[in-house]
Amino acid sequence: MLGTGLGQLASEITDAYEIPYNEIPNFPVSTVEGHSGKLIFGRLGGKDIMAMQGRFHYYEGYSMKEVTFPVRVMYELGIQTLFVSNAAGGMNPEFHIGDIMVITDHINLFPEHPLRGKNFPTGPRFPDMHEAYDAQLVALADEIAAEKGIRLMHGVYVGVQGPTFETPAEYRMYRIIGGDTIGMSTVPEVIVARHCGIRVFGMSIVTDLGGFDTPVQVSHEEVQMAANKAQPYMTEIMREIIRRS
């Protein structure tokens, strides 16, 4: 599931065939620049994969059921592992723009929960989330990054509604409660994937920084540019994890 500016991985897929979202019954259509809007089937790292080039966001006006509908489709198609990526704001003082952060946990601050309502039979009414992000896959990512000399950070991703970028005070607050990066996606899809018993590996590319002494103005275009520069390293790690896992 590829986020803003992170579509390069799709070009690595062999034996690919594509289906535009608007040709799939009940699928939402992404309205965000940088999200292509197609489902790709093929092979990567010697494995059969399915890739979403472009995702859906709560801030676009979709319900959580619509945002996470593609994960339900993935489950029905037999997907066993979900790889998620996003462009995110960084608030850890050790982070730099262009850093890649492996998500080790998240904080859900969305106003609607994706499992609200009648429970789907794919999982329990009260699913456990003590290991939302697979520890074995995190360890494998560390091993690959060390081999290839890629700087790889770890941290907690905070999921918020958006669509505004955060104020300096909000950045500081999210840092105080335990966040390292922040963004407007990922958390709903991860929750539904775990409810379905799908294991998850996630990465954030730090595309801007906030919450420090000097406020920094952020634009969507700058976020895309920073993501484009870092994505070859993210692609390398993702491809190798898929190959080795």
Side-chain angles (χ1 to χ4, degrees):
M1 196 170 283
L2 307 174
T4 299
L6 302 177
Q8 181 180 312
L9 190 66
S11 66
E12 305 264 331
I13 299 170
T14 60
D15 303 322
Y17 62 96
E18 303 174 350
I19 306 175
Y21 291 162
N22 59 13
E23 294 182 10
I24 304 172
N26 301 314
F27 238 67
V29 177
S30 182
T31 64
V32 184
E33 185 182 346
H35 288 252
S36 295
K38 54 190 176 185
L39 209 55
I40 306 170
F41 294 85
R43 290 182 67 78
L44 182 68
K47 304 284 173 64
D48 291 324
I49 71 154
M50 165 185 173
M52 280 186 68
Q53 194 169 15
R55 58 150 60 92
F56 314 115
H57 304 80
Y58 188 68
Y59 65 73
E60 293 177 81
Y62 296 121
S63 70
M64 279 298 182
K65 293 286 190 295
E66 291 172 312
V67 168
T68 58
F69 180 72
V71 181
R72 300 289 183 192
V73 173
M74 290 177 178
Y75 171 79
E76 295 298 334
L77 290 172
I79 294 297
Q80 296 175 329
T81 307
L82 174 65
F83 293 82
V84 291
S85 68
N86 58 57
M91 48 215 169
N92 185 321
E94 295 182 13
F95 288 2
H96 307 300
I97 290 177
D99 273 346
I100 300 172
M101 185 194 85
V102 172
I103 304 173
T104 55
D105 206 346
H106 70 229
I107 298 172
N108 180 18
L109 294 180
F110 283 92
E112 181 187 346
H113 198 283
L115 300 182
R116 179 178 177 269
K118 184 180 178 182
N119 186 48
F120 278 79
T122 55
R125 171 76 280 188
F126 304 106
D128 177 70
M129 294 292 288
H130 84 279
E131 191 182 306
Y133 301 85
D134 191 276
Q136 287 184 321
L137 295 177
V138 171
L140 184 54
D142 287 339
E143 181 183 311
I144 293 163
E147 286 175 14
K148 298 183 179 296
I150 298 172
R151 174 180 159 97
L152 195 62
M153 314 304 285
H154 283 200
V156 175
Y157 176 84
V158 181
V160 295
Q161 172 177 293
T164 52
F165 291 112
E166 290 66 44
T167 68
E170 287 170 338
Y171 265 125
R172 289 193 293 271
M173 177 189 72
Y174 295 135
R175 177 63 183 156
I176 287 168
I177 65 171
D180 296 289
T181 59
I182 186 165
M184 307 167 195
S185 67
T186 301
V187 171
E189 299 101 305
V190 170
I191 290 172
V192 169
R194 295 302 302 132
H195 183 254
C196 292
I198 298 170
R199 63 180 185 160
V200 175
F201 176 79
M203 288 199 286
S204 292
I205 288 182
V206 179
T207 52
D208 59 278
L209 298 169
F212 308 124
D213 293 338
T214 306
V216 179
Q217 187 172 346
V218 185
S219 73
H220 185 65
E221 291 71 27
E222 289 170 324
V223 166
Q224 286 181 287
M225 286 175 59
N228 284 333
K229 288 181 181 178
Q231 69 170 322
Y233 304 108
M234 186 204 76
T235 299
E236 182 89 2
I237 293 170
M238 289 271 201
R239 187 200 310 113
E240 276 300 299
I241 292 177
I242 292 169
R243 189 175 70 81
R244 299 185 194 185
S245 62

